[in-house]
């Protein structure tokens, strides 16, 4: 583990509960504002992948459109992941 090498201890979170809370938050906020669909920009990185996953969970996969939007310094591997 990282703590064996002088790093901080791993972050302990309940991933299922966190995903459930974030999904509920997205669903409520979108509904409150009258939206039923979302467009997500995918870079191939972790942040945009998590955003797309949570949006699909909250709104239904058919209500989420992902657009590949690489950054100029995106690696070829990230672009493949976004695709």
């Amino acid at each position: 583990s990282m703590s064996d090498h002088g790093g901080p201890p791993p972050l302990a979170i309940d991933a299922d509960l966190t995903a459930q809370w974030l999904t509920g938050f997205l669903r409520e906020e979108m509904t409150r504002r009258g939206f039923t669909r979302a467009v997500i920009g995918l870079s191939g990185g972790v942040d945009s992948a998590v955003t797309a996953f949570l949006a699909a969970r909250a709104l239904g996969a058919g209500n989420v459109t992902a657009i590949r939007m690489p950054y100029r310094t995106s690696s070829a591997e990230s672009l493949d992941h976004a695709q």
Side-chain angles (χ1 to χ4, degrees), residues 2-81:
M2 285 185 66
S3 59
D4 296 339
H5 302 287
L11 181 63
I13 63 169
D14 183 332
D16 290 333
L17 179 62
T18 302
Q20 184 179 29
W21 185 87
L22 289 170
T23 299
F25 173 79
L26 287 171
R27 186 180 302 115
E28 289 172 17
E29 291 299 310
M30 294 287 285
T31 301
R32 186 165 69 108
R33 288 165 172 72
F35 294 110
T36 58
R37 300 182 57 159
V39 176
I40 305 292
L42 285 182
S43 66
V46 173
D47 294 347
S48 63
V50 170
T51 300
F53 170 80
L54 292 171
R57 247 186 155 178
L59 305 173
N63 293 317
V64 177
T65 300
I67 298 174
R68 192 173 95 162
M69 299 180 69
Y71 187 64
R72 68 176 172 253
T73 59
S74 295
S75 68
E77 184 178 38
S78 287
L79 298 177
D80 289 342
H81 290 163

